[in-house]
Amino acid sequence: MLYYGKKISNTLKGEEIKFIFFISDEIFAGSMPILITIEPKSTAILRIEIAENRKSESWKNHWVEIEKNYFYTLGLVSDRGKGLCEGFKEHYPDKSYQPDIFHEFRELTKIILVTLNRVANNAIKNETKRAKVISSARSKAVIDKRTSAYKKASKESDDAMEAYDIHCYLLKCIM
């Protein structure tokens, strides 16, 4: 494999100047970062390379090599990787940056699910608390009042768990 890998260039050779958007990200081989930039319309890999790190300087060098092959950026789409974003802002201060929708959506779903999970857990705790106090009631009026509170808490708990389950299912289908 290494023999063949050395025979293939890690940067696409351009024949004429092209202005395009870059989509850049990193993947990993063990703990070693692999920097990759693609052209979004064709999904052609413009450059892929094993790097020592993911710092801004590594990314700037990565894009310089792409430019040597006549590909110039109009802007960047990527996750919010620290070194990647810093490198882009330093190297292309006048170009636009757009976070990719997948990572943004994934972060949003985490917030939604954490919130819904917290609501469901609190509802379950409240239902459990209401169930425990029923047995200590002595009069019919107190028993009825506590039973009613338990039924209400049970319904709220069921609704909260259902909301969480539905959102989990829908978000899993979308992702």
Side-chain angles (χ1 to χ4, degrees):
M1 221 30 175
L2 188 58
Y3 170 79
Y4 295 108
K6 287 183 177 182
K7 299 231 179 259
I8 300 172
S9 173
N10 64 347
T11 306
L12 184 64
K13 306 288 184 217
E15 296 174 4
E16 59 186 50
I17 293 175
K18 296 269 187 200
F19 291 94
I20 57 175
F21 274 88
F22 290 169
I23 295 180
S24 297
D25 203 356
E26 59 270 333
I27 55 178
F28 293 89
S31 62
M32 294 183 67
I34 299 172
L35 310 183
I36 184 168
T37 297
I38 68 168
E39 187 279 322
K41 191 172 182 182
S42 66
T43 67
I45 297 173
L46 300 175
R47 181 165 176 83
I48 185 168
E49 66 178 307
I50 294 174
E52 290 182 23
N53 58 56
R54 299 176 289 157
K55 294 180 180 176
S56 63
E57 202 59 39
S58 296
W59 278 107
K60 288 190 280 187
N61 293 335
H62 176 84
W63 293 315
V64 164
E65 292 301 316
I66 293 171
E67 290 172 344
K68 287 179 182 176
N69 289 280
Y70 306 113
F71 295 103
Y72 296 90
T73 191
L74 296 169
L76 175 70
V77 176
S78 73
D79 61 9
R80 292 185 186 267
K82 186 177 182 222
L84 194 158
C85 289
E86 286 175 2
F88 189 76
K89 287 175 188 170
E90 291 169 10
H91 194 62
Y92 302 107
D94 299 333
K95 302 296 181 186
S96 68
Y97 168 77
Q98 173 67 43
D100 71 84
I101 294 170
F102 172 79
H103 286 92
E104 294 298 304
F105 189 72
R106 186 175 67 179
E107 292 305 311
L108 178 62
T109 61
K110 284 180 188 176
I111 293 166
I112 292 169
L113 293 180
V114 165
T115 301
L116 288 173
N117 185 277
R118 187 178 332 110
V119 169
N121 284 333
N122 288 339
I124 292 166
K125 288 175 187 173
N126 188 42
E127 178 185 9
T128 303
K129 183 178 172 184
R130 299 287 132 227
K132 287 180 180 178
V133 298
I134 292 174
S135 62
S136 65
R138 299 290 173 238
S139 70
K140 170 109 171 83
V142 173
I143 291 171
D144 289 346
K145 182 179 174 183
R146 289 182 180 177
T147 300
S148 176
Y150 167 75
K151 287 179 181 177
K152 181 181 175 199
S154 180
K155 170 85 170 95
E156 289 170 356
S157 175
D158 289 344
D159 290 348
M161 288 186 294
E162 183 178 16
Y164 177 79
D165 289 342
I166 288 169
H167 281 82
C168 280
Y169 173 75
L170 291 174
L171 294 170
K172 191 172 184 179
C173 289
I174 293 169
M175 300 289 281

Short mmCIF file of all heavy atoms in Angstrom, two decimals, residues 32-88:
data_model
loop_
_atom_site.label_atom_id
_atom_site.label_comp_id
_atom_site.label_asym_id
_atom_site.label_seq_id
_atom_site.Cartn_x
_atom_site.Cartn_y
_atom_site.Cartn_z
N MET A 32 -3.04 10.40 14.48
CA MET A 32 -2.46 11.34 13.52
C MET A 32 -3.56 12.02 12.71
O MET A 32 -4.38 11.35 12.08
CB MET A 32 -1.51 10.60 12.58
CG MET A 32 -0.28 10.05 13.29
SD MET A 32 0.85 9.27 12.14
CE MET A 32 1.39 10.69 11.22
N PRO A 33 -3.57 13.35 12.71
CA PRO A 33 -4.59 14.06 11.91
C PRO A 33 -4.27 14.00 10.42
O PRO A 33 -3.11 14.08 10.02
CB PRO A 33 -4.52 15.49 12.43
CG PRO A 33 -3.16 15.64 13.00
CD PRO A 33 -2.74 14.28 13.47
N ILE A 34 -5.32 13.85 9.65
CA ILE A 34 -5.22 13.91 8.19
C ILE A 34 -6.07 15.09 7.76
O ILE A 34 -7.28 15.11 7.97
CB ILE A 34 -5.72 12.61 7.53
CG1 ILE A 34 -4.88 11.42 8.00
CG2 ILE A 34 -5.71 12.74 6.02
CD1 ILE A 34 -5.40 10.07 7.57
N LEU A 35 -5.42 16.10 7.18
CA LEU A 35 -6.13 17.29 6.71
C LEU A 35 -6.65 17.02 5.31
O LEU A 35 -5.92 16.47 4.48
CB LEU A 35 -5.20 18.51 6.70
CG LEU A 35 -4.41 18.79 7.98
CD1 LEU A 35 -3.60 20.07 7.82
CD2 LEU A 35 -5.30 18.85 9.20
N ILE A 36 -7.89 17.42 5.06
CA ILE A 36 -8.47 17.17 3.75
C ILE A 36 -9.31 18.38 3.33
O ILE A 36 -10.01 18.97 4.15
CB ILE A 36 -9.31 15.87 3.73
CG1 ILE A 36 -9.84 15.57 2.34
CG2 ILE A 36 -10.43 15.93 4.74
CD1 ILE A 36 -10.41 14.17 2.19
N THR A 37 -9.19 18.72 2.07
CA THR A 37 -10.01 19.79 1.48
C THR A 37 -10.59 19.26 0.19
O THR A 37 -9.87 18.67 -0.63
CB THR A 37 -9.17 21.06 1.22
OG1 THR A 37 -8.69 21.55 2.47
CG2 THR A 37 -9.99 22.14 0.53
N ILE A 38 -11.88 19.47 0.02
CA ILE A 38 -12.55 19.04 -1.21
C ILE A 38 -13.26 20.22 -1.86
O ILE A 38 -13.50 21.25 -1.24
CB ILE A 38 -13.56 17.89 -0.95
CG1 ILE A 38 -14.75 18.37 -0.13
CG2 ILE A 38 -12.89 16.71 -0.31
CD1 ILE A 38 -15.90 17.38 -0.10
N GLU A 39 -13.58 20.04 -3.13
CA GLU A 39 -14.39 20.99 -3.88
C GLU A 39 -15.82 20.46 -3.80
O GLU A 39 -16.07 19.31 -4.15
CB GLU A 39 -13.89 21.06 -5.32
CG GLU A 39 -14.53 22.15 -6.16
CD GLU A 39 -15.89 21.75 -6.70
OE1 GLU A 39 -16.07 20.59 -7.07
OE2 GLU A 39 -16.77 22.62 -6.75
N PRO A 40 -16.77 21.26 -3.31
CA PRO A 40 -18.10 20.74 -2.99
C PRO A 40 -18.94 20.28 -4.18
O PRO A 40 -19.70 19.32 -4.05
CB PRO A 40 -18.79 21.90 -2.26
CG PRO A 40 -18.03 23.10 -2.62
CD PRO A 40 -16.64 22.67 -2.94
N LYS A 41 -18.82 20.91 -5.32
CA LYS A 41 -19.69 20.55 -6.45
C LYS A 41 -19.34 19.18 -7.00
O LYS A 41 -20.21 18.34 -7.23
CB LYS A 41 -19.59 21.61 -7.54
CG LYS A 41 -20.63 21.47 -8.61
CD LYS A 41 -20.60 22.67 -9.54
CE LYS A 41 -21.68 22.55 -10.60
NZ LYS A 41 -21.63 23.68 -11.53
N SER A 42 -18.07 18.92 -7.20
CA SER A 42 -17.63 17.64 -7.77
C SER A 42 -17.25 16.63 -6.70
O SER A 42 -17.12 15.46 -6.98
CB SER A 42 -16.42 17.85 -8.67
OG SER A 42 -15.31 18.28 -7.89
N THR A 43 -17.04 17.09 -5.49
CA THR A 43 -16.49 16.34 -4.35
C THR A 43 -15.06 15.84 -4.63
O THR A 43 -14.60 14.89 -4.01
CB THR A 43 -17.39 15.17 -3.89
OG1 THR A 43 -17.45 14.16 -4.89
CG2 THR A 43 -18.77 15.65 -3.49
N ALA A 44 -14.38 16.50 -5.55
CA ALA A 44 -12.99 16.15 -5.83
C ALA A 44 -12.12 16.52 -4.63
O ALA A 44 -12.29 17.59 -4.03
CB ALA A 44 -12.49 16.90 -7.07
N ILE A 45 -11.22 15.63 -4.28
CA ILE A 45 -10.27 15.91 -3.20
C ILE A 45 -9.19 16.82 -3.77
O ILE A 45 -8.46 16.43 -4.68
CB ILE A 45 -9.67 14.61 -2.64
CG1 ILE A 45 -10.76 13.75 -2.00
CG2 ILE A 45 -8.56 14.93 -1.62
CD1 ILE A 45 -10.30 12.37 -1.57
N LEU A 46 -9.11 18.02 -3.24
CA LEU A 46 -8.09 18.97 -3.69
C LEU A 46 -6.75 18.68 -3.04
O LEU A 46 -5.71 18.82 -3.68
CB LEU A 46 -8.52 20.41 -3.36
CG LEU A 46 -9.83 20.87 -4.01
CD1 LEU A 46 -10.20 22.25 -3.52
CD2 LEU A 46 -9.71 20.84 -5.53
N ARG A 47 -6.80 18.29 -1.77
CA ARG A 47 -5.56 17.92 -1.07
C ARG A 47 -5.92 17.08 0.14
O ARG A 47 -6.89 17.36 0.84
CB ARG A 47 -4.79 19.16 -0.63
CG ARG A 47 -3.47 18.81 0.07
CD ARG A 47 -2.55 20.03 0.16
NE ARG A 47 -1.34 19.74 0.91
CZ ARG A 47 -0.26 19.15 0.42
NH1 ARG A 47 -0.25 18.77 -0.84
NH2 ARG A 47 0.80 18.94 1.18
N ILE A 48 -5.11 16.09 0.38
CA ILE A 48 -5.22 15.25 1.57
C ILE A 48 -3.80 14.97 2.05
O ILE A 48 -2.92 14.65 1.24
CB ILE A 48 -6.01 13.94 1.30
CG1 ILE A 48 -6.20 13.15 2.58
CG2 ILE A 48 -5.37 13.13 0.20
CD1 ILE A 48 -7.21 12.01 2.45
N GLU A 49 -3.58 15.16 3.34
CA GLU A 49 -2.22 14.97 3.85
C GLU A 49 -2.23 14.62 5.33
O GLU A 49 -3.08 15.10 6.08
CB GLU A 49 -1.39 16.24 3.64
CG GLU A 49 -1.90 17.41 4.46
CD GLU A 49 -1.05 18.66 4.29
OE1 GLU A 49 0.17 18.57 4.47
OE2 GLU A 49 -1.64 19.71 3.98
N ILE A 50 -1.28 13.80 5.71
CA ILE A 50 -1.06 13.54 7.13
C ILE A 50 -0.30 14.74 7.69
O ILE A 50 0.65 15.22 7.08
CB ILE A 50 -0.24 12.25 7.33
CG1 ILE A 50 -1.06 11.03 6.86
CG2 ILE A 50 0.16 12.08 8.80
CD1 ILE A 50 -0.29 9.72 6.89
N ALA A 51 -0.76 15.23 8.82
CA ALA A 51 -0.14 16.42 9.42
C ALA A 51 0.34 16.10 10.83
O ALA A 51 -0.13 15.14 11.45
CB ALA A 51 -1.16 17.56 9.46
N GLU A 52 1.26 16.90 11.30
CA GLU A 52 1.75 16.72 12.68
C GLU A 52 0.70 17.17 13.69
O GLU A 52 0.64 16.66 14.80
CB GLU A 52 3.04 17.53 12.88
CG GLU A 52 4.22 16.95 12.14
CD GLU A 52 5.50 17.74 12.42
OE1 GLU A 52 5.58 18.42 13.47
OE2 GLU A 52 6.41 17.67 11.58
N ASN A 53 -0.10 18.17 13.31
CA ASN A 53 -1.11 18.70 14.22
C ASN A 53 -2.22 19.36 13.40
O ASN A 53 -2.16 19.38 12.17
CB ASN A 53 -0.49 19.69 15.20
CG ASN A 53 0.19 20.85 14.50
OD1 ASN A 53 -0.42 21.55 13.70
ND2 ASN A 53 1.48 21.03 14.77
N ARG A 54 -3.18 19.94 14.09
CA ARG A 54 -4.31 20.61 13.43
C ARG A 54 -4.29 22.11 13.71
O ARG A 54 -5.31 22.77 13.64
CB ARG A 54 -5.63 20.02 13.93
CG ARG A 54 -5.77 18.55 13.64
CD ARG A 54 -7.04 18.00 14.23
NE ARG A 54 -6.93 17.95 15.68
CZ ARG A 54 -7.97 17.94 16.51
NH1 ARG A 54 -9.19 17.99 16.06
NH2 ARG A 54 -7.79 17.87 17.81
N LYS A 55 -3.15 22.64 13.99
CA LYS A 55 -3.02 24.06 14.32
C LYS A 55 -3.16 24.92 13.06
O LYS A 55 -3.06 24.42 11.94
CB LYS A 55 -1.69 24.33 15.02
CG LYS A 55 -1.61 23.67 16.38
CD LYS A 55 -0.30 23.94 17.06
CE LYS A 55 -0.28 23.26 18.42
NZ LYS A 55 1.01 23.42 19.08
N SER A 56 -3.36 26.21 13.27
CA SER A 56 -3.62 27.14 12.17
C SER A 56 -2.50 27.11 11.12
O SER A 56 -2.77 27.16 9.93
CB SER A 56 -3.83 28.55 12.69
OG SER A 56 -2.69 29.04 13.34
N GLU A 57 -1.26 27.01 11.56
CA GLU A 57 -0.14 27.01 10.63
C GLU A 57 -0.19 25.80 9.68
O GLU A 57 0.11 25.93 8.49
CB GLU A 57 1.19 27.04 11.40
CG GLU A 57 2.35 27.56 10.62
CD GLU A 57 2.16 28.99 10.10
OE1 GLU A 57 1.61 29.85 10.81
OE2 GLU A 57 2.57 29.24 8.94
N SER A 58 -0.58 24.65 10.21
CA SER A 58 -0.70 23.45 9.37
C SER A 58 -1.77 23.65 8.30
O SER A 58 -1.58 23.27 7.14
CB SER A 58 -1.07 22.24 10.23
OG SER A 58 -0.03 21.94 11.13
N TRP A 59 -2.89 24.27 8.69
CA TRP A 59 -3.96 24.52 7.73
C TRP A 59 -3.53 25.54 6.67
O TRP A 59 -3.81 25.37 5.48
CB TRP A 59 -5.24 24.97 8.44
CG TRP A 59 -6.00 23.79 8.97
CD1 TRP A 59 -6.12 23.42 10.27
CD2 TRP A 59 -6.72 22.83 8.21
NE1 TRP A 59 -6.88 22.27 10.36
CE2 TRP A 59 -7.26 21.89 9.10
CE3 TRP A 59 -6.96 22.66 6.85
CZ2 TRP A 59 -8.03 20.81 8.68
CZ3 TRP A 59 -7.73 21.57 6.43
CH2 TRP A 59 -8.25 20.66 7.34
N LYS A 60 -2.84 26.59 7.09
CA LYS A 60 -2.39 27.59 6.12
C LYS A 60 -1.45 26.95 5.09
O LYS A 60 -1.59 27.19 3.88
CB LYS A 60 -1.70 28.75 6.84
CG LYS A 60 -2.68 29.63 7.59
CD LYS A 60 -2.05 30.91 8.10
CE LYS A 60 -1.28 30.70 9.36
NZ LYS A 60 -0.78 31.93 9.99
N ASN A 61 -0.54 26.12 5.55
CA ASN A 61 0.38 25.42 4.63
C ASN A 61 -0.40 24.50 3.70
O ASN A 61 -0.06 24.38 2.51
CB ASN A 61 1.42 24.63 5.41
CG ASN A 61 2.37 25.53 6.17
OD1 ASN A 61 2.57 26.69 5.81
ND2 ASN A 61 2.94 25.02 7.25
N HIS A 62 -1.41 23.86 4.21
CA HIS A 62 -2.27 22.96 3.43
C HIS A 62 -2.90 23.74 2.26
O HIS A 62 -2.86 23.30 1.11
CB HIS A 62 -3.34 22.38 4.37
CG HIS A 62 -4.36 21.52 3.73
ND1 HIS A 62 -4.15 20.18 3.48
CD2 HIS A 62 -5.62 21.79 3.30
CE1 HIS A 62 -5.24 19.67 2.93
NE2 HIS A 62 -6.15 20.63 2.82
N TRP A 63 -3.48 24.91 2.56
CA TRP A 63 -4.15 25.70 1.52
C TRP A 63 -3.16 26.33 0.54
O TRP A 63 -3.47 26.47 -0.64
CB TRP A 63 -5.04 26.76 2.15
CG TRP A 63 -6.20 26.16 2.89
CD1 TRP A 63 -7.03 25.15 2.45
CD2 TRP A 63 -6.66 26.49 4.19
NE1 TRP A 63 -7.97 24.85 3.41
CE2 TRP A 63 -7.77 25.66 4.49
CE3 TRP A 63 -6.25 27.40 5.15
CZ2 TRP A 63 -8.47 25.73 5.69
CZ3 TRP A 63 -6.95 27.48 6.34
CH2 TRP A 63 -8.03 26.65 6.60
N VAL A 64 -1.97 26.67 1.00
CA VAL A 64 -0.93 27.21 0.10
C VAL A 64 -0.61 26.18 -0.98
O VAL A 64 -0.47 26.51 -2.16
CB VAL A 64 0.34 27.62 0.90
CG1 VAL A 64 1.53 27.81 -0.03
CG2 VAL A 64 0.07 28.88 1.70
N GLU A 65 -0.51 24.92 -0.59
CA GLU A 65 -0.23 23.86 -1.56
C GLU A 65 -1.35 23.72 -2.58
O GLU A 65 -1.10 23.45 -3.76
CB GLU A 65 0.03 22.52 -0.85
CG GLU A 65 1.32 22.49 -0.04
CD GLU A 65 2.55 22.78 -0.89
OE1 GLU A 65 2.68 22.22 -2.01
OE2 GLU A 65 3.40 23.56 -0.44
N ILE A 66 -2.57 23.91 -2.15
CA ILE A 66 -3.70 23.86 -3.09
C ILE A 66 -3.60 25.02 -4.08
O ILE A 66 -3.81 24.85 -5.28
CB ILE A 66 -5.04 23.89 -2.32
CG1 ILE A 66 -5.20 22.60 -1.50
CG2 ILE A 66 -6.22 24.07 -3.27
CD1 ILE A 66 -6.37 22.61 -0.53
N GLU A 67 -3.28 26.20 -3.56
CA GLU A 67 -3.16 27.39 -4.42
C GLU A 67 -2.04 27.23 -5.46
O GLU A 67 -2.15 27.75 -6.57
CB GLU A 67 -2.91 28.63 -3.58
CG GLU A 67 -4.12 29.05 -2.77
CD GLU A 67 -3.83 30.16 -1.78
OE1 GLU A 67 -2.64 30.44 -1.49
OE2 GLU A 67 -4.79 30.75 -1.29
N LYS A 68 -1.00 26.53 -5.10
CA LYS A 68 0.10 26.28 -6.06
C LYS A 68 -0.40 25.51 -7.27
O LYS A 68 0.26 25.48 -8.31
CB LYS A 68 1.24 25.52 -5.39
CG LYS A 68 2.05 26.34 -4.42
CD LYS A 68 3.14 25.48 -3.80
CE LYS A 68 3.95 26.24 -2.76
NZ LYS A 68 4.95 25.36 -2.10
N ASN A 69 -1.56 24.87 -7.13
CA ASN A 69 -2.13 24.08 -8.22
C ASN A 69 -3.35 24.76 -8.83
O ASN A 69 -4.24 24.10 -9.36
CB ASN A 69 -2.45 22.67 -7.71
CG ASN A 69 -1.19 21.89 -7.48
OD1 ASN A 69 -0.60 21.37 -8.41
ND2 ASN A 69 -0.74 21.83 -6.23
N TYR A 70 -3.42 26.08 -8.69
CA TYR A 70 -4.41 26.93 -9.36
C TYR A 70 -5.82 26.89 -8.78
O TYR A 70 -6.76 27.32 -9.44
CB TYR A 70 -4.47 26.63 -10.86
CG TYR A 70 -3.13 26.73 -11.54
CD1 TYR A 70 -2.53 25.59 -12.06
CD2 TYR A 70 -2.44 27.93 -11.64
CE1 TYR A 70 -1.28 25.65 -12.69
CE2 TYR A 70 -1.20 28.01 -12.25
CZ TYR A 70 -0.64 26.86 -12.77
OH TYR A 70 0.59 26.94 -13.38
N PHE A 71 -5.98 26.41 -7.57
CA PHE A 71 -7.30 26.43 -6.93
C PHE A 71 -7.27 27.50 -5.83
O PHE A 71 -6.47 27.41 -4.90
CB PHE A 71 -7.65 25.07 -6.33
CG PHE A 71 -7.82 23.99 -7.36
CD1 PHE A 71 -6.83 23.04 -7.56
CD2 PHE A 71 -8.96 23.93 -8.14
CE1 PHE A 71 -6.97 22.05 -8.51
CE2 PHE A 71 -9.11 22.94 -9.10
CZ PHE A 71 -8.11 21.99 -9.28
N TYR A 72 -8.13 28.49 -5.97
CA TYR A 72 -8.20 29.60 -5.02
C TYR A 72 -9.59 29.62 -4.39
O TYR A 72 -10.58 29.31 -5.04
CB TYR A 72 -7.90 30.93 -5.71
CG TYR A 72 -6.49 30.97 -6.24
CD1 TYR A 72 -6.19 30.53 -7.53
CD2 TYR A 72 -5.45 31.42 -5.44
CE1 TYR A 72 -4.89 30.55 -8.01
CE2 TYR A 72 -4.14 31.44 -5.92
CZ TYR A 72 -3.87 31.00 -7.20
OH TYR A 72 -2.58 31.01 -7.67
N THR A 73 -9.64 30.00 -3.14
CA THR A 73 -10.90 29.90 -2.42
C THR A 73 -11.74 31.18 -2.49
O THR A 73 -11.23 32.29 -2.46
CB THR A 73 -10.68 29.50 -0.95
OG1 THR A 73 -11.94 29.18 -0.37
CG2 THR A 73 -10.02 30.61 -0.15
N LEU A 74 -13.05 30.96 -2.57
CA LEU A 74 -14.03 32.04 -2.41
C LEU A 74 -14.49 32.10 -0.97
O LEU A 74 -15.01 33.10 -0.51
CB LEU A 74 -15.25 31.77 -3.31
CG LEU A 74 -14.98 31.78 -4.81
CD1 LEU A 74 -16.19 31.24 -5.56
CD2 LEU A 74 -14.64 33.19 -5.26
N GLY A 75 -14.32 30.98 -0.27
CA GLY A 75 -14.74 30.88 1.12
C GLY A 75 -14.57 29.45 1.60
O GLY A 75 -14.13 28.57 0.85
N LEU A 76 -14.92 29.22 2.85
CA LEU A 76 -14.72 27.92 3.47
C LEU A 76 -15.99 27.46 4.16
O LEU A 76 -16.68 28.24 4.80
CB LEU A 76 -13.60 28.01 4.52
CG LEU A 76 -13.34 26.75 5.37
CD1 LEU A 76 -12.71 25.65 4.52
CD2 LEU A 76 -12.46 27.08 6.56
N VAL A 77 -16.25 26.17 4.02
CA VAL A 77 -17.29 25.50 4.79
C VAL A 77 -16.59 24.42 5.61
O VAL A 77 -15.81 23.64 5.06
CB VAL A 77 -18.36 24.85 3.88
CG1 VAL A 77 -19.39 24.09 4.69
CG2 VAL A 77 -19.03 25.91 3.00
N SER A 78 -16.86 24.41 6.92
CA SER A 78 -16.22 23.42 7.77
C SER A 78 -16.92 23.34 9.11
O SER A 78 -17.81 24.14 9.40
CB SER A 78 -14.75 23.77 8.00
OG SER A 78 -14.66 24.87 8.89
N ASP A 79 -16.47 22.38 9.92
CA ASP A 79 -16.90 22.38 11.31
C ASP A 79 -16.18 23.55 11.99
O ASP A 79 -15.48 24.31 11.34
CB ASP A 79 -16.60 21.04 11.99
CG ASP A 79 -15.12 20.69 12.03
OD1 ASP A 79 -14.27 21.54 11.68
OD2 ASP A 79 -14.81 19.56 12.42
N ARG A 80 -16.34 23.69 13.25
CA ARG A 80 -15.72 24.84 13.93
C ARG A 80 -14.39 24.46 14.59
O ARG A 80 -14.08 24.92 15.68
CB ARG A 80 -16.69 25.40 14.96
CG ARG A 80 -17.91 26.04 14.34
CD ARG A 80 -18.77 26.69 15.40
NE ARG A 80 -20.00 27.20 14.86
CZ ARG A 80 -20.19 28.44 14.44
NH1 ARG A 80 -19.21 29.29 14.48
NH2 ARG A 80 -21.35 28.83 13.97
N GLY A 81 -13.62 23.62 13.91
CA GLY A 81 -12.32 23.24 14.44
C GLY A 81 -11.47 24.48 14.70
O GLY A 81 -11.36 25.36 13.85
N LYS A 82 -10.87 24.54 15.88
CA LYS A 82 -10.15 25.75 16.31
C LYS A 82 -9.03 26.13 15.36
O LYS A 82 -8.96 27.25 14.87
CB LYS A 82 -9.62 25.54 17.73
CG LYS A 82 -8.99 26.78 18.31
CD LYS A 82 -8.54 26.56 19.74
CE LYS A 82 -7.97 27.86 20.27
NZ LYS A 82 -6.81 27.76 21.03
N GLY A 83 -8.11 25.22 15.12
CA GLY A 83 -6.97 25.51 14.25
C GLY A 83 -7.40 25.81 12.82
O GLY A 83 -6.86 26.71 12.17
N LEU A 84 -8.37 25.09 12.34
CA LEU A 84 -8.88 25.26 10.99
C LEU A 84 -9.47 26.67 10.84
O LEU A 84 -9.12 27.41 9.90
CB LEU A 84 -9.95 24.19 10.73
CG LEU A 84 -10.42 23.94 9.32
CD1 LEU A 84 -11.03 22.56 9.21
CD2 LEU A 84 -11.38 24.96 8.84
N CYS A 85 -10.34 27.07 11.75
CA CYS A 85 -10.96 28.41 11.69
C CYS A 85 -9.94 29.52 11.86
O CYS A 85 -9.97 30.51 11.13
CB CYS A 85 -12.07 28.52 12.73
SG CYS A 85 -13.51 27.53 12.33
N GLU A 86 -9.04 29.37 12.82
CA GLU A 86 -8.01 30.39 13.02
C GLU A 86 -7.12 30.52 11.79
O GLU A 86 -6.80 31.63 11.36
CB GLU A 86 -7.16 30.05 14.25
CG GLU A 86 -7.86 30.29 15.56
CD GLU A 86 -7.03 29.82 16.76
OE1 GLU A 86 -5.88 29.35 16.59
OE2 GLU A 86 -7.54 29.95 17.89
N GLY A 87 -6.72 29.39 11.23
CA GLY A 87 -5.87 29.41 10.04
C GLY A 87 -6.56 30.08 8.87
O GLY A 87 -5.95 30.85 8.13
N PHE A 88 -7.86 29.81 8.71
CA PHE A 88 -8.59 30.41 7.60
C PHE A 88 -8.71 31.92 7.79
O PHE A 88 -8.49 32.69 6.85
CB PHE A 88 -9.98 29.77 7.45
CG PHE A 88 -10.68 30.20 6.20
CD1 PHE A 88 -10.32 29.68 4.97
CD2 PHE A 88 -11.68 31.15 6.26
CE1 PHE A 88 -10.95 30.09 3.81
CE2 PHE A 88 -12.31 31.58 5.11
CZ PHE A 88 -11.96 31.04 3.87
#
